[in-house]
Short mmCIF file of all heavy atoms in Angstrom, two decimals:
data_model
loop_
_atom_site.label_atom_id
_atom_site.label_comp_id
_atom_site.label_asym_id
_atom_site.label_seq_id
_atom_site.Cartn_x
_atom_site.Cartn_y
_atom_site.Cartn_z
N GLN R 1 0.84 -1.21 0.00
CA GLN R 1 0.00 0.00 0.00
C GLN R 1 0.87 1.25 0.00
O GLN R 1 0.55 2.25 -0.69
CB GLN R 1 -0.92 0.01 1.23
CG GLN R 1 -1.99 -1.07 1.23
CD GLN R 1 -3.17 -0.76 0.32
OE1 GLN R 1 -3.13 0.18 -0.48
NE2 GLN R 1 -4.22 -1.55 0.42
N LEU R 2 1.98 1.22 0.74
CA LEU R 2 2.89 2.36 0.75
C LEU R 2 3.52 2.56 -0.62
O LEU R 2 3.64 3.70 -1.10
CB LEU R 2 3.98 2.14 1.80
CG LEU R 2 5.07 3.22 1.88
CD1 LEU R 2 4.47 4.60 2.15
CD2 LEU R 2 6.10 2.86 2.95
N GLN R 3 3.90 1.46 -1.26
CA GLN R 3 4.46 1.57 -2.61
C GLN R 3 3.45 2.15 -3.59
O GLN R 3 3.77 3.01 -4.41
CB GLN R 3 4.93 0.19 -3.09
CG GLN R 3 5.58 0.21 -4.46
CD GLN R 3 6.02 -1.19 -4.90
OE1 GLN R 3 5.86 -2.15 -4.17
NE2 GLN R 3 6.59 -1.27 -6.09
N LEU R 4 2.20 1.69 -3.49
CA LEU R 4 1.14 2.19 -4.37
C LEU R 4 0.90 3.68 -4.12
O LEU R 4 0.76 4.47 -5.06
CB LEU R 4 -0.15 1.40 -4.13
CG LEU R 4 -1.39 1.87 -4.89
CD1 LEU R 4 -1.18 1.77 -6.40
CD2 LEU R 4 -2.62 1.06 -4.46
N SER R 5 0.89 4.07 -2.84
CA SER R 5 0.68 5.49 -2.51
C SER R 5 1.83 6.34 -3.00
O SER R 5 1.63 7.47 -3.49
CB SER R 5 0.52 5.65 -0.99
OG SER R 5 -0.63 4.96 -0.52
N THR R 6 3.05 5.81 -2.89
CA THR R 6 4.22 6.55 -3.36
C THR R 6 4.19 6.73 -4.88
O THR R 6 4.51 7.81 -5.40
CB THR R 6 5.51 5.82 -2.94
OG1 THR R 6 5.51 5.65 -1.52
CG2 THR R 6 6.74 6.60 -3.36
N GLU R 7 3.83 5.67 -5.57
CA GLU R 7 3.73 5.76 -7.04
C GLU R 7 2.63 6.74 -7.46
O GLU R 7 2.80 7.51 -8.42
CB GLU R 7 3.44 4.37 -7.62
CG GLU R 7 4.61 3.40 -7.49
CD GLU R 7 4.25 1.99 -7.91
OE1 GLU R 7 3.04 1.76 -8.19
OE2 GLU R 7 5.15 1.13 -7.95
N THR R 8 1.52 6.72 -6.74
CA THR R 8 0.43 7.66 -7.05
C THR R 8 0.86 9.09 -6.78
O THR R 8 0.55 10.01 -7.56
CB THR R 8 -0.82 7.32 -6.21
OG1 THR R 8 -1.21 5.97 -6.49
CG2 THR R 8 -1.97 8.25 -6.55
N LEU R 9 1.60 9.31 -5.69
CA LEU R 9 2.10 10.65 -5.39
C LEU R 9 3.04 11.13 -6.50
O LEU R 9 2.98 12.30 -6.92
CB LEU R 9 2.83 10.65 -4.04
CG LEU R 9 3.54 11.95 -3.66
CD1 LEU R 9 2.56 13.13 -3.60
CD2 LEU R 9 4.28 11.79 -2.33
N ALA R 10 3.90 10.21 -6.97
CA ALA R 10 4.81 10.58 -8.05
C ALA R 10 4.04 10.98 -9.30
O ALA R 10 4.37 11.97 -9.98
CB ALA R 10 5.77 9.44 -8.35
N ALA R 11 2.98 10.23 -9.60
CA ALA R 11 2.16 10.55 -10.79
C ALA R 11 1.44 11.88 -10.61
O ALA R 11 1.36 12.69 -11.55
CB ALA R 11 1.16 9.42 -11.03
N GLN R 12 0.91 12.11 -9.43
CA GLN R 12 0.21 13.37 -9.16
C GLN R 12 1.18 14.56 -9.22
O GLN R 12 0.83 15.64 -9.71
CB GLN R 12 -0.47 13.31 -7.78
CG GLN R 12 -1.54 12.24 -7.64
CD GLN R 12 -2.82 12.59 -8.37
OE1 GLN R 12 -2.81 13.22 -9.43
NE2 GLN R 12 -3.95 12.18 -7.81
N THR R 13 2.38 14.34 -8.70
CA THR R 13 3.38 15.41 -8.73
C THR R 13 3.77 15.74 -10.17
O THR R 13 3.94 16.93 -10.54
CB THR R 13 4.63 14.98 -7.93
OG1 THR R 13 4.24 14.67 -6.58
CG2 THR R 13 5.66 16.09 -7.91
N GLU R 14 3.93 14.72 -11.00
CA GLU R 14 4.25 14.93 -12.40
C GLU R 14 3.11 15.67 -13.11
O GLU R 14 3.35 16.57 -13.93
CB GLU R 14 4.54 13.60 -13.09
CG GLU R 14 4.77 13.68 -14.59
CD GLU R 14 5.97 14.54 -14.97
OE1 GLU R 14 6.83 14.81 -14.09
OE2 GLU R 14 6.06 14.95 -16.15
N THR R 15 1.87 15.30 -12.77
CA THR R 15 0.72 15.99 -13.37
C THR R 15 0.71 17.46 -12.97
O THR R 15 0.46 18.35 -13.79
CB THR R 15 -0.59 15.33 -12.93
OG1 THR R 15 -0.60 13.97 -13.39
CG2 THR R 15 -1.80 16.06 -13.49
N LEU R 16 1.02 17.73 -11.71
CA LEU R 16 1.07 19.13 -11.25
C LEU R 16 2.16 19.89 -12.00
O LEU R 16 1.96 21.07 -12.38
CB LEU R 16 1.33 19.18 -9.74
CG LEU R 16 1.54 20.58 -9.14
CD1 LEU R 16 0.31 21.47 -9.39
CD2 LEU R 16 1.86 20.49 -7.66
N ARG R 17 3.29 19.26 -12.24
CA ARG R 17 4.37 19.92 -12.97
C ARG R 17 3.92 20.29 -14.39
O ARG R 17 4.16 21.40 -14.87
CB ARG R 17 5.60 19.01 -13.02
CG ARG R 17 6.84 19.69 -13.65
CD ARG R 17 7.92 18.66 -13.93
NE ARG R 17 7.49 17.74 -14.99
CZ ARG R 17 7.51 18.04 -16.29
NH1 ARG R 17 7.91 19.24 -16.71
NH2 ARG R 17 7.13 17.14 -17.17
N VAL R 18 3.25 19.32 -15.03
CA VAL R 18 2.79 19.57 -16.40
C VAL R 18 1.74 20.68 -16.42
O VAL R 18 1.78 21.59 -17.27
CB VAL R 18 2.22 18.27 -17.01
CG1 VAL R 18 1.55 18.56 -18.36
CG2 VAL R 18 3.31 17.23 -17.17
N VAL R 19 0.81 20.62 -15.50
CA VAL R 19 -0.26 21.63 -15.45
C VAL R 19 0.33 23.01 -15.14
O VAL R 19 -0.08 24.03 -15.74
CB VAL R 19 -1.31 21.24 -14.39
CG1 VAL R 19 -2.30 22.38 -14.17
CG2 VAL R 19 -2.04 19.98 -14.81
N GLN R 20 1.30 23.06 -14.23
CA GLN R 20 1.92 24.33 -13.90
C GLN R 20 2.64 24.91 -15.12
O GLN R 20 2.58 26.13 -15.37
CB GLN R 20 2.90 24.15 -12.74
CG GLN R 20 3.52 25.44 -12.23
CD GLN R 20 2.49 26.38 -11.60
OE1 GLN R 20 1.74 25.98 -10.73
NE2 GLN R 20 2.45 27.64 -12.06
N THR R 21 3.30 24.03 -15.88
CA THR R 21 3.98 24.49 -17.09
C THR R 21 2.98 25.03 -18.10
O THR R 21 3.19 26.10 -18.72
CB THR R 21 4.79 23.34 -17.71
OG1 THR R 21 5.76 22.87 -16.76
CG2 THR R 21 5.50 23.79 -18.97
N ARG R 22 1.89 24.31 -18.28
CA ARG R 22 0.87 24.75 -19.22
C ARG R 22 0.21 26.06 -18.76
O ARG R 22 -0.13 26.92 -19.56
CB ARG R 22 -0.19 23.66 -19.38
CG ARG R 22 0.34 22.39 -20.05
CD ARG R 22 -0.77 21.39 -20.29
NE ARG R 22 -1.77 21.94 -21.20
CZ ARG R 22 -2.89 21.33 -21.55
NH1 ARG R 22 -3.15 20.12 -21.04
NH2 ARG R 22 -3.76 21.90 -22.37
N TYR R 23 0.06 26.17 -17.43
CA TYR R 23 -0.52 27.40 -16.89
C TYR R 23 0.40 28.58 -17.14
O TYR R 23 -0.06 29.67 -17.51
CB TYR R 23 -0.78 27.23 -15.39
CG TYR R 23 -1.27 28.49 -14.72
CD1 TYR R 23 -2.59 28.93 -14.89
CD2 TYR R 23 -0.41 29.24 -13.91
CE1 TYR R 23 -3.02 30.10 -14.28
CE2 TYR R 23 -0.85 30.40 -13.29
CZ TYR R 23 -2.16 30.82 -13.47
OH TYR R 23 -2.60 31.97 -12.86
N ASP R 24 1.70 28.34 -16.95
CA ASP R 24 2.67 29.42 -17.20
C ASP R 24 2.67 29.85 -18.67
O ASP R 24 2.95 31.00 -18.99
CB ASP R 24 4.08 28.97 -16.80
CG ASP R 24 4.19 28.75 -15.29
OD1 ASP R 24 3.34 29.29 -14.55
OD2 ASP R 24 5.11 28.01 -14.86
N LEU R 25 2.33 28.88 -19.54
CA LEU R 25 2.28 29.18 -20.98
C LEU R 25 0.91 29.69 -21.40
O LEU R 25 0.70 29.99 -22.59
CB LEU R 25 2.65 27.93 -21.79
CG LEU R 25 4.07 27.40 -21.61
CD1 LEU R 25 4.25 26.08 -22.36
CD2 LEU R 25 5.09 28.42 -22.08
N GLY R 26 -0.02 29.72 -20.46
CA GLY R 26 -1.35 30.22 -20.76
C GLY R 26 -2.26 29.18 -21.37
O GLY R 26 -3.34 29.51 -21.87
N ALA R 27 -1.82 27.87 -21.30
CA ALA R 27 -2.63 26.81 -21.90
C ALA R 27 -3.51 26.09 -20.89
O ALA R 27 -4.25 25.18 -21.25
CB ALA R 27 -1.72 25.79 -22.59
N ALA R 28 -3.41 26.46 -19.61
CA ALA R 28 -4.22 25.83 -18.57
C ALA R 28 -4.74 26.91 -17.64
O ALA R 28 -4.15 27.99 -17.51
CB ALA R 28 -3.41 24.81 -17.79
N SER R 29 -5.85 26.60 -16.98
CA SER R 29 -6.46 27.57 -16.08
C SER R 29 -5.95 27.40 -14.65
O SER R 29 -5.34 26.38 -14.30
CB SER R 29 -7.99 27.39 -16.09
OG SER R 29 -8.34 26.14 -15.52
N ARG R 30 -6.22 28.43 -13.85
CA ARG R 30 -5.85 28.38 -12.44
C ARG R 30 -6.60 27.26 -11.72
O ARG R 30 -6.08 26.63 -10.80
CB ARG R 30 -6.15 29.72 -11.79
CG ARG R 30 -5.86 29.80 -10.31
CD ARG R 30 -4.40 29.51 -10.01
NE ARG R 30 -4.14 29.49 -8.57
CZ ARG R 30 -3.03 29.06 -8.02
NH1 ARG R 30 -2.04 28.59 -8.80
NH2 ARG R 30 -2.86 29.08 -6.71
#
């Protein structure tokens, strides 16, 4: 369960990075 949670956190963190990049480029909303 800890491994699954860690992998999910990594995926969520990567999604946040992508969304933040798109937001900085004006391609995503706040």
Side-chain angles (χ1 to χ4, degrees):
Q1 292 283 11
L2 176 57
Q3 182 180 359
L4 175 62
S5 297
T6 303
E7 291 173 354
T8 302
L9 174 59
Q12 298 285 35
T13 302
E14 175 61 18
T15 298
L16 175 59
R17 186 192 67 78
V18 172
V19 171
Q20 185 65 53
T21 300
R22 294 184 62 183
Y23 175 75
D24 294 340
L25 296 174
S29 67
R30 178 59 184 169

